[in-house]
Structures are given as structure tokens and as C-alpha cells.
Amino acid sequence: MIPLNYRGIMFIFDGTLAMARFSIFVFITAVLAILIICSLTHWSTQFRMLQIKALKCLSENANRLRQGLERRELNSSDSSGNREDEAGRQRFDHRQLAELEAIYQIAPVGLAFLNHELRLVRMNEQMAVILGESGGMQLGRPLEECFPRLAATLGEKMKYQLETGEAMRNFEIAVSDPCNPGKTIYVLASLNPVADAQGHILGINAVLQDITSRKLIEENARAMAERFRCAGEIAAFLIYDWNTVTNTVIRLSGLADILGEDADVGVGKLEDWAKKIHPDDFEYTVAETTKAFESGAANYDVEYRVRDVHDNYTYIWDRGVIFRDDTGRVVSVIGVSVDIEVLKRLELELRQQAERLAEVDRRKDDFIAMLSHELRNPLTPIRVAVEILESLENEDEIHAQSLAMISRQVAHMSRLVDDLLDVSRISQGKITILKEKIDLTKIVRDASADYRNIAQTAGLSFKAALPQGPLWIEGDEIRLAQVISNILHNSIKFTQPGGTITLTLETIAASKKAAITVRDTGLGISADLLPHIFEMFSQGDQTIDRSYGGLGLGLALVKALVDKHDGSVQAMSGGLGQGTEIRILLPLGRFATAEAPRIKAPGWAKNLGLRILVIEDSPDIAESLRVFFSHVLDHEVQVAIDGVSGLEMARRCPPDIMLCDIGLPGEFNGYEVAKRFRALSDTGGTILVALTGYGTLDDQQKTRQAGFDVHLTKPPNFKELRRILDKAQSRKPRYPTDSIPIELEL
């Protein structure tokens, strides 16, 4: 605290009435100045309360001092005044003077009084803090000696005031920070001349307030507003402040960019904006905002259209941050509305493009479905013919091996057609497998037998190292055979004549896995292609003659199938010309040490006496099925080549089993035949089988809806066909006396 200078006090209070009034004016002026400063610093609540409290006390004491001086003036003419009363009044004046001095020192603003010579008469501690100087030793000295920086800024203004008596209030000045050279502090200043009763200027009362922090806040706010303005010009968005209590909206910027209106900034009613919303979007917009308000959400976002000055509608995305009071009531929203018209147009274009691509994809699926149907039809009579030939007694080993090879290849071809039918399930990893207990050794041995001749024909050496006994795992026999076939096919294709193909199957006891390895001495795989070798359509460099061919689906399918078996596959190569090794690991599981089950060889029961109706427009398929059912199995078979004649045969003599194609010529297709047949009475005992080249899930659902019991894709799975015959027999048990039923494989 700056020490009290009683000489300065006596300069003001010299016992004369004029100087007493002068003191009152000084303090009243300080009060007014502080009140002005208080009104300017509304942004700081605690600071403002401190000012109000100090100034209120200062004002009350000044009023009491003024009243005391007035009483002294009245009593001075009374020569009969009591000396004791006079002493009491002096003590009272000194006490009030002390109170005023205390308030003067704790005032939150800088206060100083300079006489008519601009010498410093008194100043409080806050003024010393602002000016960075110790004020106690400066009293009585000229301003330019005490505070040269302040004198350089305010000296001329003060001299002008001494001449004119004009007050200068609430103006900002910038002075260098005495504690941090090179840094500027900002001060809000008020200079109020003080005059005696005759109007003579006695001095100047100076009030200074450090507003550097406030200036920095204002500058940051202006800089942020400028950034928002620039961002608004670039992105075309509207910033708003919505008072939900009064329903007024302050638009900060961006309205002209979005709607083309001239009045870009201003205050408006919410109803004015609501009128611009598209009628079809209004209810949705209100509902979304209300839901956010009522649910206690911190923000909301909604898309809708608003009308511009040209009566055109523009899409905007509106996002608001919700502010609530202590009771949870929404009081305001600060938000932004972004023009997304361009994005919406792009979204529409993308949607239209997606629809076009979907149409292309649908046509592709239709083409593949038709292609698969056409591929299945020639496979069907081949598969049936194999069954017929296998039923004939022939001890020739070559004959048996040839039939087994044809059967395997037809099965492989059928599964490839299934994959072709639904290419999307390969890319999405949705390939289905039918797990059962299978002998992995037999699968690898069969694949080895199939490809040994192919390799030798290509001038390659083929070596296989397989276990002597069975190796049982849980898996899909046909799918795993497809995996091995794909790898062997690739190895043979990419190995030059004179090379070697090696196929091995072994068990890894430590990890309880079976390992299938295919090694070749072929072209190898480059280092940059190796990490992508199992991706769809991944292929090495192709020459213009495409001598190696392929679509790049084989190894992708291998990985998908191995993954479905909870296994893993890895490709290794030393680089181009270094050959390739593909290694597959499959879990052995609980079947690893199990003995081979004693399964009776599948056979067909004869003389079951079933009535079978075949409705098929392909002569080869119809004839092969007729021969198989009638000559091999001794069933009663009828054949129809179209839906109308087939339905008439079924109506006259309902069969036990009816196999019906879907794509029939004439008036009735297969769906219509099934619907009309099920509409007849007493048809519940007939097993209705759809035998078709269409095999998608949608096709299967359609056949069930039409009334079919079973959906078989061509060529038929004879295990399934065997189950169907067995089920029909169980419904109609009538064995001839000279026939013994054999055990069927289910």
C-alpha cells in the first residue's frame, strides 16, 4: 500500500470551505468515473460486484463528509458554538477521511489526482500497478518525471483540459508494458477537470483501467468471426443463435450465400425461417428438433429444403448445439446450416449410377443363371448314364476306374456351375459347405489319380507321397476335392515340360493338423504379386497369346473354401523361375485316430413298385431318367415332354414321385404344373420334386411356394434321390415276395 501523504491531504482540506467542496468534487468525480468503468466491464461478474461494493461505500462516505462540511459551514457563523462539539466534528471528519482513503486504495481501477501544474498529488495502488512504478515516492513531482510514458500519451490532453475544463471520458490508449518491454498494454482512461466554486481549474482527476485481457478477448473474437466469415464464403453456411425462450434468431453470416438475401446479418423471428421450409419437409424437421429437445440430447441434425429469393428450394444440413438451464429447459441453440445442394445432386447421380449398375448386375445374374441352366442340362444325362453303367455287372478294372473318374468330374463340374451361378457369394465369402466325416487320404489319392495322366501328358513328372491308411476329418468331400484340383491344375499349367509336380499329405502331431502340400518347379511368383495371390482376379503378367489363360478365381476360391474348413493356406515362392509351393493346413479334430466306419456300399433297391412321372422337355434327360428308374430300379415310369400332358397324366394316375422341370415349353411351366397339381384332391401322397437347371436361393423359394417338396438342381445328387425314393417307399410299403430290401445310405 502507498503511504498516506498528509501534506497532500492538507492541500485539499486546508480548513477552508472552498477546498472542502473541492475534495467532495474529487471523490464524487471518482465515483462517477468508476461507475462508468463498471458499466464497461460487464463481461466479468465478480469484478463488477467488487466495483459496486467499493463504489457504494465510497459514495456513502462522500455524502456523509459533504453533509458534515455543510453543517460546519452553517455552524461557522454561530460564534456561540461549543468547543467540544467542534473537536467531535473534527474527529468525525478525520474518521471519514480515513474511510475514504481506504476505499480509494482498494478501488479496482487506477485513481490519481494531478494539480494545475500536472504534479502528482495522490494516487492509489492500482494506478501504480498499471503504470509499473512505485507511487509513494512520486508525489509532488511533475507527471513527465514520474511517468514519462503516460505523459507522452496524455500530457497534451491534460494541458488542453486545464485550459478548457472539458472532460474526456472512456477513451482507449495503448502504452508499453513497463514489466515486459516490447509488449503493449491497453488502458481505458477518463480525465475529469476539478474546479472550485469560482470555476478555477484546480487539477485533473485521472481514472485508468487495464483492459488488456478484454482487448485480447475482443481481438480473438474478431479473428474467429473473420475465420467464420471466410469459411462461410468458402463452404456457404449460415451461423445462427436461436433464443428458444423468445423464439428470436440472430443470423451471424451466410444467409446471402445460401438464399441470396441481401440482409445477411440480423435478428429475426423463428417463424420467418419456418415459412421458408419446404412443405413436405416441415413436419419432419419440427419432429426431429422436438425429439432432440424432449429427449435431453446435446445436439440435433436434420436435412431439409428451404426456399431462396428466386423461389427455388435448396437442401441444407442443419446441426445445432442445445443449451439448457438448471431445470433442463432448452434456452438457446447455437447452430450452423450448411448448403448441401451440390452434395444432394451428387448423391442423386450416384444413386442413379448405382441403379444402373444394379441393372447391369441383374442382367449379369440372369445371363449366368441361363448359362448355368444350359450347362446343367448336358451334365444330367451324363450323370444318369454313369449311374446306369455302375449298376451293370462289369468286373473290368479299367471300366470301373473310368466310370469313377467320369462321376467325379461331373460332380466337380456341377459344383463349378454352382459357383458360376452365384459369383457374389465367392466375393463375399458366402460359399456353403456340407461337413461330414470324410477320408482325406482318399480325396487326395483320387485327385492324384485324376491329374497324374494330365501331368504326364504335359511332359511333367508327377510324384505323390500319401499315408497308407485313412485320415479322417470333418469336411465337405467335393469342396476339398475342388481345392486340391484347383491347386494341381495351376501347378501343371504354370510348369514347363520337364518339370516336376509333387503332392504330399502328412499329419502334424503337435498342432493336430493335416498338411497338404503341392510343390512345382514352374514359373514361380514375383515378390510383389505373392501377398495378393489369393485375391480375386489376381494374375501374373500375361503375354498377348494368354497361353496360361484363367480368370484369376481359382486360388481365391481355394482360400475361401479352406477358411470355411477352419484351415489356412499359404503360398511360397523364391521368385520368378523358382517354382511355387502351396501348403494347406486342416484341423484333424476328433476324427484323427478314429477307425474307418464300416459302411455298406450304396446300392439301389429293386422291385419297390413306385409310380414315377418325369416331366422333362429334353429328350436325353427324359430318356436317361426313364431307363434308370425302369430298367435299373424296376419302377413304373411315365414321361411327358410338356406341362399340359404331364398334368393330365398326373391327374389320371397320381404318381408316388413326380420329377418336373421348371423351364417347360407350352402353356404351363413347372411352377404352374405344381400349383395345379396341388389343387387336385388326393395329391398329398405324391412327392413333388423340382428337377431344374435353376439353382439360386430365389429359385428354391419359388419352387417351395409353388408346392414342390424338394428342389434338385441338375445333374441330380443321387444321394438325395436315394433319400426321396426311400421316403416314398416308407409311405407306400409294398415289397414283392421275391424281393429283399437292401440297406439304403441316408
Side-chain angles (χ1 to χ4, degrees), residues 29-90:
T29 303
V31 169
L32 294 176
I34 293 174
L35 288 175
I36 294 173
I37 297 301
C38 176
S39 66
L40 293 176
T41 56
H42 60 279
W43 52 273
S44 175
T45 304
Q46 293 182 347
F47 186 59
R48 183 170 63 249
M49 295 301 297
L50 178 63
Q51 285 181 316
I52 292 173
K53 183 177 180 179
L55 293 177
K56 182 178 180 181
C57 183
L58 182 64
S59 177
E60 291 174 354
N61 282 275
N63 287 333
R64 287 196 298 269
L65 181 60
R66 178 179 55 80
Q67 293 171 0
L69 292 176
E70 289 176 351
R71 287 194 301 271
R72 176 183 295 180
E73 183 179 1
L74 292 174
N75 293 332
S76 62
S77 59
D78 188 0
S79 58
S80 63
N82 193 308
R83 293 291 181 180
E84 294 180 0
D85 291 343
E86 179 67 20
R89 283 193 295 270
Q90 289 180 357

Side-chain angles (χ1 to χ4, degrees), residues 323-544:
F323 294 89
R324 307 173 188 272
D325 59 16
D326 295 338
T327 65
R329 184 186 64 159
V330 178
V331 294
S332 66
V333 175
I334 303 296
V336 57
S337 299
V338 182
D339 185 350
I340 59 171
E341 183 65 26
V342 175
L343 295 179
K344 280 295 184 178
R345 286 199 296 267
L346 292 175
E347 181 182 324
L348 177 60
E349 293 176 3
L350 289 175
R351 189 183 303 113
Q352 292 173 344
Q353 184 176 0
E355 292 173 354
R356 290 193 295 269
L357 292 175
E359 175 63 19
V360 172
D361 188 61
R362 185 191 63 79
R363 293 182 181 180
K364 178 262 297 178
D365 290 341
D366 291 344
F367 169 76
I368 293 178
M370 183 59 64
L371 178 62
S372 66
H373 177 270
E374 296 303 318
L375 290 174
R376 291 179 192 277
N377 279 336
L379 289 175
T380 303
I382 298 174
R383 184 69 181 89
V384 176
V386 170
E387 282 297 319
I388 295 173
L389 293 174
E390 287 180 344
S391 68
L392 301 177
E393 295 182 0
N394 194 320
E395 301 297 332
D396 185 66
E397 184 179 353
I398 297 178
H399 175 83
Q401 291 177 353
S402 298
L403 286 179
M405 182 177 62
I406 294 173
S407 180
R408 287 196 302 271
Q409 295 306 315
V410 169
H412 293 170
M413 187 66 180
S414 299
R415 294 301 287 265
L416 288 175
V417 172
D418 288 339
D419 292 338
L420 181 63
L421 181 66
D422 193 2
V423 178
S424 62
R425 67 182 175 179
I426 300 176
S427 62
Q428 298 174 12
K430 295 182 179 180
I431 304 174
T432 58
I433 60 173
L434 303 174
K435 286 188 176 182
E436 57 184 347
K437 187 177 180 179
I438 58 175
D439 181 7
L440 187 58
T441 302
K442 180 181 180 299
I443 296 173
V444 177
R445 184 181 295 114
D446 290 342
S448 173
D450 290 341
Y451 282 90
R452 183 182 298 275
N453 292 334
I454 298 174
Q456 291 174 352
T457 302
L460 304 174
S461 173
F462 190 93
K463 300 177 182 180
L466 309 177
Q468 293 298 321
L471 186 58
W472 299 98
I473 67 170
E474 187 178 20
D476 188 318
E477 180 177 354
I478 295 179
R479 288 298 195 181
L480 288 177
Q482 185 179 353
V483 166
I484 300 170
S485 297
N486 281 359
I487 296 175
L488 288 174
H489 176 75
N490 271 11
S491 292
I492 293 173
K493 182 170 65 172
F494 292 102
T495 302
Q496 300 292 342
T500 301
I501 308 294
T502 303
L503 171 63
T504 62
L505 172 63
E506 58 186 341
T507 59
I508 304 176
S511 59
K512 296 182 179 181
K513 293 183 182 296
I516 305 171
T517 306
V518 177
R519 299 184 186 90
D520 63 58
T521 58
L523 298 180
I525 306 173
S526 62
D528 56 342
L529 180 61
L530 193 60
H532 309 286
I533 196 65
F534 293 107
E535 297 176 3
M536 290 187 65
F537 311 115
S538 178
Q539 292 180 303
D541 294 336
Q542 292 283 347
T543 57
I544 192 170

Side-chain angles (χ1 to χ4, degrees), residues 29-40 109-114 127 150 154 157-158 161 166-173 187-193 204-209:
T29 303
V31 169
L32 294 176
I34 293 174
L35 288 175
I36 294 173
I37 297 301
C38 176
S39 66
L40 293 176
V109 295
L111 300 176
F113 179 75
L114 297 95
M127 179 67 80
L150 185 63
L154 299 179
K157 290 183 173 62
M158 290 181 174
Q161 288 183 303
E166 181 180 342
M168 298 181 183
R169 298 185 178 92
N170 301 328
F171 60 92
E172 295 182 8
I173 60 175
V187 177
L188 184 67
S190 291
L191 303 177
N192 299 281
I204 297 176
N205 191 24
V207 181
L208 302 183
Q209 181 186 4

Side-chain angles (χ1 to χ4, degrees), residues 129-196:
V129 171
I130 294 174
L131 299 179
E133 300 282 355
S134 176
M137 303 302 295
Q138 308 296 337
L139 297 180
R141 297 178 59 193
L143 178 65
E144 58 269 15
E145 293 181 7
C146 301
F147 306 109
R149 288 184 295 273
L150 185 63
T153 305
L154 299 179
E156 294 300 322
K157 290 183 173 62
M158 290 181 174
K159 292 177 181 178
Y160 174 78
Q161 288 183 303
L162 291 175
E163 295 176 358
T164 63
E166 181 180 342
M168 298 181 183
R169 298 185 178 92
N170 301 328
F171 60 92
E172 295 182 8
I173 60 175
V175 296
S176 60
D177 188 344
C179 300
N180 298 285
K183 183 179 178 181
T184 301
I185 63 172
Y186 296 91
V187 177
L188 184 67
S190 291
L191 303 177
N192 299 281
V194 178
D196 60 13

Side-chain angles (χ1 to χ4, degrees), residues 592-610:
T593 59
E595 294 183 358
R598 301 180 183 275
I599 302 176
K600 187 177 293 186
W604 293 96
K606 296 188 177 183
N607 300 320
L608 296 180
L610 296 175

Side-chain angles (χ1 to χ4, degrees), residues 98-118:
E99 292 176 359
L100 288 173
E101 178 65 22
I103 296 173
Y104 191 85
Q105 293 298 335
I106 66 171
V109 295
L111 300 176
F113 179 75
L114 297 95
N115 64 13
H116 63 285
E117 296 178 350
L118 294 183

Side-chain angles (χ1 to χ4, degrees), residues 678-726:
R678 289 303 187 196
L680 300 175
S681 60
D682 300 329
T683 63
T686 299
I687 299 177
L688 201 52
V689 181
L691 183 60
T692 174
Y694 300 108
T696 66
L697 294 177
D698 184 53
D699 295 327
Q700 297 176 31
Q701 184 178 2
K702 287 180 180 179
T703 56
R704 287 193 297 269
Q705 292 174 349
F708 286 98
D709 298 301
V710 182
H711 184 107
L712 290 181
T713 54
K714 298 175 180 177
N717 184 326
F718 278 85
K719 289 184 180 180
E720 291 293 329
L721 195 56
R722 206 174 280 126
R723 293 188 180 97
I724 294 170
L725 293 172
D726 187 46

